[in-house]
Amino acid sequence: MDIRFTKMQGAGNDFVVLDETQGLLGLSTAQYRFLADRHFGVGADQILSVRPSPAAGLDFEYVIHNADGGEVEHCGNGARCFVRYVHDKGLTDKTTVRVKVQQGEIELRLRPDGRVTVDMGPPVFDWVRVPFVPTGLVSDQVNGWPVFDLPLGEQGSARVAVLSMGNPHAVQRVDDVESFPVRAQGPLIEHHPAFPNRVNAGFMQIVSRKHIKLRVFERGAGETLACGTGACAAVVAGIRQAWLDSRVDVHTHGGVLSIEWAGEADSPVLMTGPATTVFDGQIHLPETL
């Protein structure tokens, strides 16, 4: 099967985007993995599918598969690329669109300066919805918010704040994010039994109340150059622990994302950053892999 695709990136987080508005491609888990493979396929952190609106009041459905082929709930950097794609490809003339994601709806706005703002919705702190099972973990409170110590064997332990931005995140504060053993701790946190669906592991260095550095070891993808939901989760965690102001620039290896949150449980998190088309192409997908 030959399919057309567009390669895009948002702050270095890269994607293969597929237009399924005229019909579903019906790809298998193995075929998604093939597309994401950087040696045999196109290469990407995630595969984004643009699908028709499933309900009134929505413009599209937005479906995300990780590099391991598994479907996931959300991807913030991908959301920015999504709205850039549908606008540039003539699928809509709107600069603001509402789309369905796996666990709800989000609003995406293309700005005059070319950047994209995504209303990510409010953060989720309910352990059942994250999901997170803290049974048996040592816990403490910072500014009235619980944090937990995850035992990591030879890597010691990680004190994390836990929340969901449509997908699960465990965020810890570190002194120097560049020298921290992200690639050693990341997979241990991702697969920790306290997270039934695995988790994205965030490593945050606070530079000032308006500026952090961040690395994220993403569930099913490994460390990426940037993670939009991870940036949102880190800023929310920092605000809840009284370390950060309501608007923060997040510096990742792939670029800068601006995150805003008013600090109330029902307040939406707003993320602004770049979204760029790299190239269009066509690839042959083997029927069996």
Side-chain angles (χ1 to χ4, degrees):
M1 174 171 57
D2 292 330
I3 63 168
R4 297 199 60 79
F5 66 88
T6 296
K7 179 71 180 284
M8 303 188 74
Q9 62 90 10
N13 201 182
D14 63 336
F15 309 99
V16 168
V17 187
L18 305 177
D19 182 354
E20 293 188 287
T21 57
Q22 301 304 310
L24 301 186
L25 295 170
L27 303 186
S28 66
T29 298
Q31 287 172 322
Y32 284 117
R33 280 200 303 267
F34 180 87
L35 279 172
D37 191 292
R38 298 187 185 278
H39 300 287
F40 297 100
V42 181
D45 294 322
Q46 279 98 14
I47 313 300
L48 313 181
S49 297
V50 182
R51 296 181 181 176
S53 167
L58 295 172
D59 296 290
F60 299 97
E61 183 176 8
Y62 166 39
V63 178
I64 310 112
H65 287 82
N66 268 345
D68 65 1
E71 185 177 347
V72 292
E73 305 92 339
H74 205 349
C75 174
N77 287 327
R80 296 199 315 278
C81 290
F82 185 100
V83 69
R84 166 68 66 191
Y85 177 90
V86 297
H87 189 268
D88 289 356
K89 295 297 184 183
L91 297 177
T92 182
D93 58 3
K94 297 180 179 179
T95 55
T96 299
V97 300
R98 290 195 62 81
V99 303
K100 179 185 182 300
V101 291
Q102 191 183 92
Q103 295 191 358
E105 302 170 8
I106 57 174
E107 185 174 278
L108 320 173
R109 179 163 56 92
L110 190 61
R111 296 161 58 106
D113 64 4
R115 295 189 301 162
V116 176
T117 295
V118 182
D119 181 340
M120 302 288 287
V124 173
F125 304 113
D126 178 358
W127 304 147
V128 174
R129 293 175 60 197
V130 171
F132 174 53
V133 183
T135 306
L137 296 179
V138 175
S139 65
D140 198 354
Q141 289 200 347
V142 178
N143 195 40
W145 193 34
V147 292
F148 298 88
D149 293 336
L150 300 179
L152 302 178
E154 293 181 358
Q155 284 292 317
S157 65
R159 173 155 289 195
V160 299
V162 177
L163 67 150
S164 172
M165 285 305 311
N167 54 359
H169 289 270
V171 182
Q172 65 173 304
R173 181 176 179 174
V174 302
D175 292 332
D176 181 354
V177 74
E178 295 304 328
S179 63
F180 198 81
V182 168
R183 295 187 179 182
Q185 280 203 11
L188 299 177
I189 297 172
E190 176 191 357
H191 294 279
H192 194 281
F195 300 97
N197 294 343
R198 297 183 294 163
V199 72
N200 300 287
F203 304 83
M204 169 175 62
Q205 175 187 343
I206 296 180
V207 179
S208 72
R209 294 190 61 84
K210 298 180 182 295
H211 174 196
I212 68 172
K213 295 181 179 180
L214 181 70
R215 293 170 67 185
V216 179
F217 193 94
E218 292 196 48
R219 177 185 57 167
E223 185 179 5
T224 56
L225 291 178
C227 174
T229 57
C232 295
V235 170
V236 168
I239 292 172
R240 292 238 17 200
Q241 293 175 89
W243 297 331
L244 299 173
D245 290 341
S246 60
R247 184 187 182 284
V248 178
D249 284 340
V250 180
H251 287 248
T252 72
H253 285 172
V256 180
L257 302 174
S258 296
I259 310 298
E260 299 176 62
W261 185 53
E264 301 297 327
D266 59 352
S267 299
V269 182
L270 302 179
M271 175 186 61
T272 300
T276 303
T277 296
V278 182
F279 62 86
D280 295 305
Q282 180 171 307
I283 188 171
H284 177 75
L285 279 182
E287 296 294 335
T288 58
L289 291 164

